[in-house]
Amino acid sequence: MDAYATFNQVLVHLFQEILDLEAKAIITDEFRDITNNDMHIIEAVGLGSGSNMSTIAKRLRITVGSLTTSMNQLVKKMYVFRERSEEDRRIVNISLTEKGVRAYEHHRDFHEQMTRAAMKELTEEETGVLMRCLNSLSDFFHSYADKENESKKPS
């Protein structure tokens, strides 16, 4: 098998393995009432004083309408809370509850372990090559997503 075919095979399998393992690793007994998707929403909410729905939706590259359904469930399960802005009552800010912060930190810890495992055997030069490769891949995903979004817009 040539380098291109090998690289393609590794990428395809790696993406699937990451998705499968992440779902198993982050949805523990404590967080069994949420999905892997919910955990990524919690990550997008982040720590701090809160974000509004539009900002969170943009981070996730989804519509506010799609986010609302998931957010309703996360509020019900007490991972996040909503609060209307005092300055502009139309704006709803979302923040993590104490339970949400624990979920966020659990998810962050998994990502840190994964990153350390990937980098532990690399030299500084190899790390640079890997970073260029991953940045190119990220650029591809963003440009591909942008093209998909453009093609779905009404004419």
Side-chain angles (χ1 to χ4, degrees):
M1 191 179 306
D2 68 354
Y4 178 88
T6 302
F7 193 75
N8 180 62
Q9 184 179 14
V10 168
L11 277 179
V12 169
H13 287 89
L14 185 60
F15 285 131
Q16 191 58 50
E17 287 175 21
I18 289 171
L19 291 174
D20 291 346
L21 180 61
E22 183 180 46
K24 291 174 187 164
I26 64 176
I27 306 302
T28 61
D29 284 345
E30 183 178 5
F31 306 115
R32 69 181 170 274
D33 60 340
I34 59 174
T35 66
N36 200 19
N37 185 55
D38 291 334
M39 194 65 90
H40 288 113
I41 292 170
I42 289 168
E43 178 184 38
V45 171
L47 302 175
S49 60
S51 296
N52 65 44
M53 291 286 284
S54 297
T55 301
I56 297 165
K58 189 179 286 188
R59 284 182 194 144
L60 294 167
R61 302 179 76 103
I62 61 174
T63 66
V64 173
S66 297
L67 178 60
T68 299
T69 303
S70 296
M71 200 59 75
N72 289 340
Q73 292 302 311
L74 288 171
V75 168
K76 220 182 274 185
K77 295 173 185 177
M78 296 186 294
Y79 284 91
V80 300
F81 65 92
R82 291 183 172 108
E83 186 174 42
R84 290 221 176 260
S85 167
E86 290 299 320
E87 294 83 40
D88 185 344
R89 303 291 294 159
R90 295 171 296 174
I91 297 174
V92 177
N93 291 312
I94 307 295
S95 297
L96 298 179
T97 62
E98 192 174 306
K99 184 178 182 182
V101 170
R102 285 195 314 274
Y104 176 92
E105 289 172 347
H106 176 65
H107 188 221
R108 181 198 59 211
D109 291 347
F110 171 77
H111 281 225
E112 285 178 5
Q113 290 174 34
M114 180 178 62
T115 302
R116 278 195 298 277
M119 295 181 67
K120 74 179 182 182
E121 302 286 329
L122 299 179
T123 65
E124 195 173 318
E125 182 180 338
E126 291 168 332
T127 299
V129 171
L130 179 60
M131 289 306 302
R132 285 194 307 279
C133 178
L134 293 175
N135 282 327
S136 293
L137 198 53
S138 180
D139 290 346
F140 166 76
F141 288 143
H142 285 112
S143 67
Y144 190 87
D146 291 343
K147 285 180 202 170
E148 285 295 307
N149 289 337
E150 283 299 315
S151 70
K152 291 179 183 176
K153 286 184 180 177
S155 303

